[in-house]
Amino acid sequence: MMQPSVPLQNLRMQKWVASVSLVLVVLKFAAYYFTASVAILTDAMESIVNVVAGFVGVYSLFIAAQPRDRNHPYGHGKAEFLSAAVEGILIGATGIFILYEAIRKLINPVPVERVDLGIILIAITAIINYALGAVCIQKGKKNRSLALEASGRHLQTDTYSTLAVIAGLIVIYFIRIYWIDAMVAVILAGFILYTSYNIIRRSIAGIMDEADKVLQEEMIQYINGYRRENWIDLHNLRIIKYGSIFHIDAHLTVPWYFNVREAHEEIDIFSNIIKEAYGASVELFVHSDGCVEGVQCPICLKKDCPVRKQPFEKKVAWTLDNVLNNKKHYS
């Protein structure tokens, strides 16, 4: 049976996130109804954001899964970054609301009722959230989907906050100090605001095509391991992410006397090596350059070069500094 495309896999996963989040928010508000705990209210409010963000994510991944067209020659993958930005803003707004409510209840504490039932209900949501979040993050990393990763981390953030709520409720259950409930909510609000900042920061970086230096370093090291003697240098490497698709531009220097067919054979080998590691989610645009006759001989690894004018001196390792620059390598 044929596997669905990566964007469709992401969309299917996001639909599960939205559906499960809707069930969990009902459970959490039920817990709040029975307990009147402001900490549980904060957890429930964050779950509302999960639901809204989940459906925003479904729409963005639906858009990202659309094929490229005349108006979007690179596809629609940037919609994922917009989705992550919206989710981050929603999380931040929720954090501010929670902080306000928590401070208000900290000033005027109220009793928490039926603590044991509240613990049971939100413990169930914590287990489901963490498991679903882990699956989302794993799938998001595999398919290189920021929207799925953002959803997964949001779900796990929700889990951590729920655990903090449970810890506070256990303390209240035994010692009946009710201001602890509001204090837990204040701490959670700070954690939620920090999560919001990180998600918004990553989404803006994607929209602005900020270089992912970890990915660049990883890819350059990988290529170094498969370097061929006909590849005299690699320069002007650029990686742009559109949702789950990578667009890679690079200039590959080959011997100047290669004909068009020979140069394209080297490009095909280079492209296939990268696709083996990063899958079908990679699109490569590799331009072949001819070496500078005589000048690049000291760094050329080709042993049987018929036009060599200078002896080989040293191998120049490909690094971020020389591969990202738009100029050929010399000794």
Side-chain angles (χ1 to χ4, degrees):
M1 185 176 178
M2 183 178 292
Q3 288 280 0
S5 66
V6 168
L8 288 177
Q9 290 178 36
N10 295 344
L11 177 59
R12 183 178 297 174
M13 188 69 223
Q14 190 64 43
K15 286 181 178 178
W16 270 103
V17 171
S19 300
V20 173
S21 295
L22 191 58
V23 174
L24 296 183
V25 76
V26 173
L27 278 177
K28 289 185 178 182
F29 270 102
Y32 171 65
Y33 173 79
F34 289 120
T35 63
S37 164
V38 67
I40 291 181
L41 175 62
T42 65
D43 213 23
M45 288 298 299
E46 188 182 3
S47 291
I48 288 181
V49 177
N50 280 350
V51 172
V52 175
F55 283 102
V56 169
V58 168
Y59 180 71
S60 74
L61 289 172
F62 170 76
I63 296 298
Q66 301 306 303
R68 67 186 69 193
D69 52 36
R70 287 187 178 181
N71 294 327
H72 304 89
Y74 290 96
H76 300 76
K78 289 282 187 181
E80 289 197 31
F81 296 124
L82 293 174
S83 166
V86 169
E87 185 166 351
I89 292 169
L90 288 173
I91 294 171
T94 303
I96 293 171
F97 173 79
I98 290 170
L99 189 61
Y100 168 78
E101 284 294 316
I103 292 174
R104 191 167 67 87
K105 290 291 178 71
L106 194 60
I107 295 171
N108 299 299
V110 295
V112 179
E113 308 292 338
R114 303 191 66 178
V115 178
D116 52 349
L117 178 59
I119 291 172
I120 292 171
L121 289 175
I122 64 171
I124 292 171
T125 68
I127 295 169
I128 296 172
N129 258 340
Y130 190 85
L132 186 60
V135 172
C136 263
I137 293 172
Q138 182 182 27
K139 180 71 75 173
K141 287 182 177 179
K142 180 181 177 181
N143 293 346
R144 301 183 183 275
S145 169
L146 179 59
L148 269 187
E149 276 198 68
S151 292
R153 295 194 187 285
H154 189 183
L155 288 170
Q156 290 201 332
T157 298
D158 197 18
T159 303
Y160 301 143
S161 62
T162 301
L163 291 176
V165 171
I166 292 172
L169 290 175
I170 290 173
V171 173
I172 293 170
Y173 181 78
F174 285 106
I175 63 177
R176 302 292 175 182
I177 301 178
Y178 296 116
W179 61 262
I180 292 175
D181 183 53
M183 181 57 68
V184 169
V186 169
I187 295 170
L188 291 180
F191 186 57
I192 290 167
L193 289 170
Y194 177 73
T195 301
S196 168
Y197 165 78
N198 283 335
I199 292 176
I200 293 172
R201 171 70 183 82
R202 289 186 65 194
S203 62
I204 291 175
I207 292 170
M208 298 298 294
D209 293 326
E210 180 178 309
D212 185 339
K213 292 193 175 174
V214 174
L215 174 64
Q216 290 173 336
E217 184 73 51
E218 172 192 290
M219 189 173 290
I220 291 169
Q221 288 181 0
Y222 174 75
I223 295 170
N224 265 317
Y226 291 89
R227 189 167 166 182
R228 289 164 54 85
E229 64 173 17
N230 289 331
W231 301 350
I232 297 168
D233 75 47
L234 179 69
H235 59 279
N236 201 27
L237 175 69
R238 292 171 295 178
I239 305 173
I240 301 174
K241 192 172 185 294
Y242 284 79
S244 58
I245 305 295
F246 286 111
H247 294 271
I248 301 173
D249 297 334
H251 288 210
L252 183 66
T253 301
V254 297
W256 65 264
Y257 55 85
F258 272 21
N259 60 36
V260 173
R261 179 180 295 176
E262 290 171 324
H264 273 277
E265 284 178 356
E266 295 300 325
I267 289 175
D268 287 342
I269 293 170
F270 177 84
S271 300
N272 289 335
I273 285 172
I274 293 179
K275 287 181 178 179
E276 283 180 10
Y278 295 92
S281 60
V282 172
E283 288 187 347
L284 291 105
F285 301 92
V286 183
H287 172 77
S288 62
D289 283 342
C291 66
V292 181
E293 186 177 3
V295 178
Q296 288 187 286
C297 289
I299 65 165
C300 177
L301 300 174
K302 192 167 179 62
K303 296 174 182 166
D304 58 349
C305 179
V307 295
R308 180 179 288 278
K309 294 187 176 179
Q310 295 187 57
F312 172 76
E313 293 180 2
K314 66 177 181 179
K315 177 180 178 180
V316 175
W318 293 349
T319 64
L320 276 177
D321 291 334
N322 58 27
V323 169
L324 298 185
N325 283 337
N326 188 18
K327 63 180 181 180
K328 296 177 180 178
H329 306 167
Y330 301 97
S331 58

